[in-house]
Amino acid sequence: MIQLDKKQTCTGCHACTTKCPKQCITMISDTEGFWYPQINKEECIDCGLCERVCPIITPIKFEDPFNPVAYACYNTNEKVRLASSSGGVFTLIAEAVLKQGGVVFGAGFDEDFNVCHQCVERAENLDKLRMSKYVQSKIGETYREAENFLKENRLVLFTGTPCQIGGLKAYLSKSYDNLITQDIICHGIPSPMVWEAYLAFRKKSAGGCAARRIAFRRKDFGWKRYSVSISYGNDTEYRQDLTQDLFMKGFLKDLYLRPSCHACAFKSIKRHSDITLADFWGIENILPEMFDDKGTSLVLIQSKKGKALFESIEKDLVCQNVNMDEALKYNPAAIRPAPIPKNREVFYNRFGKELFDKIIHDLTKLSFKTRVRTAAVKILNKLGIKEQIKKTLKK
Ligand SMILES: Cc1cc2nc3c(=O)[nH]c(=O)nc-3n(C[C@H](O)[C@H](O)[C@H](O)COP(=O)(O)OP(=O)(O)OC[C@H]3O[C@@H](n4cnc5c(N)ncnc54)[C@H](O)[C@@H]3O)c2cc1C
Ligand code: SF4
Ligand code: SF4
Ligand code: SF4
């Protein structure tokens, strides 16, 4: 029976609870808003299955010794590209699977804007899964649903964070030719409870009006300066860019990531998925011709299956092969977990007791030294004194 001695050793993937033959494991949210398994010991028959399918307790083996290959790409369909977080490659992969009669699993919103995994069977519903949601997505029953489709010989595309793909593979415990998996380079996932509190804060600011549509990464000001957008029932819209929106500010300072993200067991170039998707940060320095600030994806092909699927969508992509070191130069989240910031504990000590905006303002404001340095760099930049800037930064 699973015994969690440290919170960092559980990703909340749901493999254990889905597998338990007695259904005596419930996922319960802790005071930080993250789910952990709780076992009803009266019902447990000590079969050990939960430990065998936990990808942290029993690490899974790589199915394919394929050496990952990197590409810079974007979808030639500009409408889809602009409606996606980076280059819109997810949609092409998903459409290729749906065209073969398959099904696609990924993270979407429910009617209350909680983030949860769901299944899509028609191309017109893919917008539910499109675009990053910076909140942990609840797997719920989707591992079991995917298994049922696999057993019916339907082609299944399962997408999610690397730990969710690890959980699925561990739960299935065997390889399926009709399963394709796609993960992401994952910085970490914020707490669903903090997201809920943020939404309540925004609703109050909107005069109590309910949200109708939410997008974390609108590209109206560009891909690099993306913005959070919440449209309300009264035809008003809240819009702030990533440096100003309160939820994004706290996320980017790592104030409320899941503890397992700070010790992530899935950071590596080689993944358990067939394809890894990411933003190609730094593309303007590496391949300037692939940068137009509308979104460029970094794609890592992880297996023969991933390669075959990628070749089938290549005609709909602008695409260039890239050296792996160059590809990951500006994306440390691929291989290194974010360290725990000292303000994480302060955040949770104040969360729920003080106003959300006050906590975030206090914990994300720049120090006096940083503000002086930023102002100095701006002035020097205007004057074009580059050498002076370098010297100032060194001090
Ligand atoms: C929490 C999170 C952290 C990320 N961190 C990084 C990073 O550090 N560096 C980087 O380069 N890229 C990161 N990404 C990936 C990047 O934002 C894009 O999702 C990726 O490039 C795919 O873009 P796209 O345009 O092809 O497709 P899009 O349509 O934008 O992406 C849709 C895909 O994202 C999945 N997805 C969306 N939200 C979630 C979620 N909450 N949990 C699991 N899967 C989700 C969907 O299931 C679907 O597969 C992160 C994404 C998320 C969700
Ligand atoms: S040991 Fe078996 S019965 Fe007990 S919680 Fe784990 S899977 Fe369920
Ligand atoms: S990592 Fe997944 S399988 Fe392991 S204990 Fe946590 S929820 Fe269960
Ligand atoms: S950082 Fe690691 S543990 Fe956290 S969500 Fe991403 S893959 Fe899972």
Side-chain angles (χ1 to χ4, degrees), residues 128-317:
K128 290 185 183 177
L129 311 183
R130 231 185 323 264
M131 201 171 275
S132 297
K133 289 106 194 153
Y134 293 120
V135 184
Q136 180 165 27
S137 175
K138 194 167 199 165
I139 286 293
E141 288 293 309
T142 53
Y143 287 168
R144 204 191 318 274
E145 288 168 27
E147 185 182 35
N148 291 339
F149 282 122
L150 289 168
K151 286 182 175 163
E152 288 165 15
N153 279 325
R154 293 277 295 272
L155 183 61
V156 173
L157 169 67
F158 201 99
T159 72
T161 58
C163 58
Q164 289 171 333
I165 301 303
L168 172 71
K169 294 266 169 116
Y171 166 78
L172 293 173
S173 311
K174 65 175 254 196
S175 59
Y176 285 87
D177 287 343
N178 51 331
L179 172 66
I180 297 166
T181 53
Q182 173 248 295
D183 68 356
I184 47 178
I185 288 185
C186 178
H187 177 78
I189 28 107
S191 157
M193 187 191 276
V194 175
W195 171 240
E196 212 181 301
Y198 169 77
L199 282 185
F201 167 78
R202 283 265 80 90
K203 187 174 175 182
K204 217 169 152 194
S205 312
C209 198
R212 203 172 48 191
R213 198 174 164 83
I214 300 182
F216 277 87
R217 292 189 56 169
R218 288 289 303 252
K219 291 176 175 171
D220 310 52
F221 311 127
W223 163 56
K224 288 178 74 182
R225 216 190 121 203
Y226 61 85
S227 52
V228 174
S229 156
I230 307 180
S231 308
Y232 291 98
N234 58 2
D235 286 334
T236 58
E237 188 199 11
Y238 158 84
R239 177 79 72 92
Q240 271 307 350
D241 79 26
L242 73 160
T243 61
Q244 299 304 315
D245 175 74
L246 294 174
F247 186 80
M248 288 309 292
K249 277 171 96 169
F251 168 44
L252 296 172
K253 289 276 178 195
D254 303 333
L255 294 181
Y256 31 77
L257 296 184
R258 191 175 172 103
S260 56
C261 302
H262 295 294
C264 180
F266 298 88
K267 300 268 179 197
S268 125
I269 296 172
K270 175 78 184 154
R271 305 297 181 92
H272 293 287
S273 62
D274 297 301
I275 298 181
T276 301
L277 298 183
D279 288 287
F280 206 133
W281 299 130
I283 188 70
E284 63 277 27
N285 306 322
I286 296 162
L287 286 173
E289 67 274 23
M290 291 290 290
F291 174 69
D292 56 7
D293 210 16
K294 291 179 184 169
T296 307
S297 289
L298 166 60
V299 178
L300 306 180
I301 304 300
Q302 300 281 358
S303 69
K304 284 195 225 65
K305 230 194 260 180
K307 183 170 180 274
L309 181 64
F310 186 68
E311 282 167 359
S312 77
I313 62 167
E314 240 177 320
K315 62 183 187 321
D316 298 313
L317 288 168

Side-chain angles (χ1 to χ4, degrees), residues 1 20-22 24-25 39 44-50:
M1 178 199 334
C20 175
K22 298 301 287 180
C24 64
I25 308 180
I39 297 173
C44 170
I45 51 168
D46 220 4
C47 67
L49 263 179
C50 50

Side-chain angles (χ1 to χ4, degrees), residues 330-387:
Y330 299 89
N331 217 330
I335 47 172
R336 266 193 306 279
I340 305 175
K342 63 178 187 327
N343 276 340
R344 188 183 188 282
E345 202 181 331
V346 182
F347 172 83
Y348 273 112
N349 284 336
R350 294 173 61 177
F351 180 65
K353 298 181 197 120
E354 296 175 42
L355 290 173
F356 189 77
D357 51 344
K358 168 123 181 57
I359 311 175
I360 300 292
H361 281 311
D362 287 355
L363 300 185
T364 59
K365 71 178 168 223
L366 299 175
S367 66
F368 179 70
K369 203 171 154 189
T370 313
R371 273 181 285 153
V372 170
R373 191 178 293 189
T374 312
V377 169
K378 265 191 192 156
I379 294 165
L380 293 171
N381 218 353
K382 260 191 188 158
L383 298 171
I385 313 169
K386 287 198 177 151
E387 281 314 302

Side-chain angles (χ1 to χ4, degrees), residues 26-41:
T26 317
M27 297 301 279
I28 305 280
S29 183
D30 73 350
T31 52
E32 295 184 346
F34 295 107
W35 312 288
Y36 293 91
Q38 201 176 78
I39 297 173
N40 178 344
K41 291 185 182 143

